[in-house]
Amino acid sequence: MNISILTGGGDCPGLNAVIRAVVRRARISYNWDVIGIRNGWKGLIEGEVEPLTMYAVSGILHRGGTILGTSRKNPTKSDDDIEQVRDNIRRYDIHAILAVGGNDTLSSALFFHKKGVPIVGVPKTIDNDILGTDFTFGFNTAVSIVTEAIDRLHTTAESHHRIMVVEVMGRHSGWIAVMSGIAGGADMILIPEVPFDIKKVCDKLMKRHERKKFSIVVVAEGAKPVGEDKHFTQDDKVDEFGNIRLGGIGQVVADQIEDITGIETRTTMLGHVQRGGVPSAYDRVLATRFGVAAVDAVNNKDFGKMVALRSENIITIPLEEAVLANKEVDMELYEMAEIFFG
Ligand code: F6P
């Protein structure tokens, strides 16, 4: 039996831990061969595959990124690409596909599952915005990186009596902003789920300034002001999948805060620093559990499913449920964070 694995979408710490776990579970427990598909769905269209031996995955547990490479290619957009995927599944004698990715990658997995391809999904994203799983791996690492950045910004903000705006990732959901904001003691957190009123934000910051002469504002890249339905973007560039490229709302917010409050305000955009580097211990363990469970799902012929963390257990849920929508920030958590605003 040959199973294959691909990693699609934005990279994320823990992907290599999944790949290693899949190969070891498949080889040791089932004596199956594992085929690595390069660069996400693109590799399956173009026939870029390689055998993944135990030797190939040795020593990669702690490494960030993905040894397989990734892309944001949507394989379902053209009939030619769909046909190529089918041809390559036959050509390389692939009996099952493990698709590791976020909402875009998992939607494509569902598409091919409906066409009869045996597929199991593994949820991955630093954004933690996939429905049906308590957490995705990569999120814990990203939150630690942002928290450390907020800690560093605190000391310089305090010394210079400035407002520091930190822009973090989070296209549809503000999980990274909320969790790192709580952990880092942010004085304001702006997220996509809750449109912000800049005047109210400034009122809170000015009130705080009577007491404390500095503030930290965390802004998720997908945050929008009240009444605006489009994301702020610096240009109209889109990624390969068709998602508009975000980034820059932090600077807009900082400029408005400085204008309204008269307090010097600086911006830090953390960008891809949040996605790079070694995974945390938590993410290594979660990724390993997902990898092992995904191979077991293939053994159980549990196709069209995604492995997921529910309480302390790893379960499988229908891919349909996972890709229905983006998992939004728990409003109870956000309301709790608000206690510390201003
Ligand atoms: O992985 C999801 C994500 O982190 C989003 O929050 C962000 O908009 C996007 O990736 C950026 O990805 P890229 O590296 O393709 O610009």
Side-chain angles (χ1 to χ4, degrees):
M1 167 117 161
N2 295 320
I3 63 167
S4 65
I5 176 166
L6 64 84
T7 55
D11 72 326
C12 139
L15 282 168
N16 286 326
V18 176
I19 297 168
R20 167 181 175 269
V22 163
V23 172
R24 291 188 67 115
R25 182 60 154 178
R27 292 294 314 141
I28 295 170
S29 306
Y30 301 112
N31 199 24
W32 296 343
D33 285 329
V34 183
I35 297 169
I37 299 166
R38 296 214 126 264
N39 304 322
W41 293 107
K42 191 164 182 260
L44 201 51
I45 294 166
E46 295 174 359
E48 265 202 85
V49 302
E50 61 184 281
L52 280 180
T53 59
M54 298 260 281
Y55 178 74
V57 298
S58 157
I60 66 169
L61 170 66
H62 60 283
R63 275 170 57 188
T66 160
I67 59 162
L68 287 173
T70 184
S71 72
R72 291 194 184 271
K73 178 79 184 169
N74 182 346
T76 68
K77 274 206 172 142
S78 88
D79 289 344
D80 279 357
D81 287 350
I82 296 167
E83 213 32 57
Q84 281 291 110
V85 166
R86 285 181 172 288
D87 280 356
N88 282 323
I89 289 173
R90 273 191 297 269
R91 178 168 314 139
Y92 296 105
D93 200 21
I94 291 171
H95 301 129
I97 298 174
L98 305 183
V100 190
N103 282 307
D104 298 342
T105 306
L106 296 172
S107 305
S108 302
L110 177 60
F111 175 92
F112 285 109
H113 164 68
K114 285 183 175 161
K115 296 212 167 295
V117 178
I119 289 196
V120 174
V122 178
K124 162 258 41 153
T125 166
I126 63 162
D127 293 350
N128 195 39
D129 62 355
I130 300 178
L131 277 180
T133 184
D134 293 349
F135 291 108
T136 50
F137 62 86
F139 173 63
N140 179 273
T141 308
V143 169
S144 306
I145 293 167
V146 178
T147 304
E148 199 207 318
I150 296 173
D151 287 348
R152 289 176 185 279
L153 290 169
H154 244 113
T155 57
T156 172
E158 192 166 11
S159 305
H160 287 268
H161 321 295
R162 287 172 175 155
I163 297 174
M164 294 296 209
V165 173
V166 198
E167 182 184 303
V168 303
M169 282 190 175
R171 173 174 291 269
H172 305 287
S173 308
W175 284 102
I176 296 177
V178 171
M179 292 290 251
S180 60
I182 293 171
D187 307 300
M188 181 64 59
I189 304 169
L190 308 182
I191 58 172
E193 293 88 336
V194 184
F196 62 88
D197 177 336
I198 196 69
K199 294 232 167 57
K200 287 191 183 148
V201 169
C202 290
D203 284 349
K204 279 233 160 88
L205 293 174
M206 280 194 287
K207 190 129 199 303
R208 172 178 156 86
H209 227 69
E210 290 163 13
R211 190 168 47 87
K212 288 263 187 186
K213 296 287 178 218
F214 74 96
S215 298
I216 304 285
V217 179
V218 180
V219 183
E221 62 181 354
K224 286 179 265 188
V226 177
E228 178 66 67
D229 34 81
K230 276 205 193 131
H231 284 123
F232 174 83
T233 51
Q234 277 158 334
D235 47 46
D236 51 10
K237 286 188 183 147
V238 291
D239 67 25
E240 239 184 318
F241 201 88
N243 302 306
I244 196 99
R245 228 191 257 181
L246 298 185
I249 184 69
Q251 187 60 53
V252 173
V253 167
D255 290 345
Q256 291 177 343
I257 292 175
E258 190 169 273
D259 278 355
I260 297 172
T261 63
I263 303 166
E264 187 180 356
T265 307
R266 299 292 185 95
T267 320
T268 303
M269 197 204 255
L270 290 178
H272 293 85
V273 168
Q274 294 160 90
R275 284 214 318 238
V278 299
S280 65
Y282 179 90
D283 282 337
R284 294 179 202 191
V285 174
L286 181 59
T288 299
R289 292 178 76 195
F290 277 170
V292 168
V295 177
D296 291 345
V298 172
N299 186 50
N300 296 334
K301 300 203 177 358
D302 202 8
F303 297 121
K305 301 284 182 63
M306 180 188 86
V307 296
L309 177 71
R310 200 66 70 76
S311 300
E312 285 310 306
N313 304 313
I314 306 290
I315 59 165
T316 59
I317 63 162
L319 274 170
E320 257 123 346
E321 280 176 27
V323 302
L324 263 182
N326 287 97
K327 185 177 78 175
E328 297 196 338
V329 165
D330 176 356
M331 277 306 126
E332 262 182 45
L333 188 67
Y334 187 72
E335 280 157 22
M336 192 213 74
E338 279 182 316
I339 298 171
F340 303 93
F341 289 2

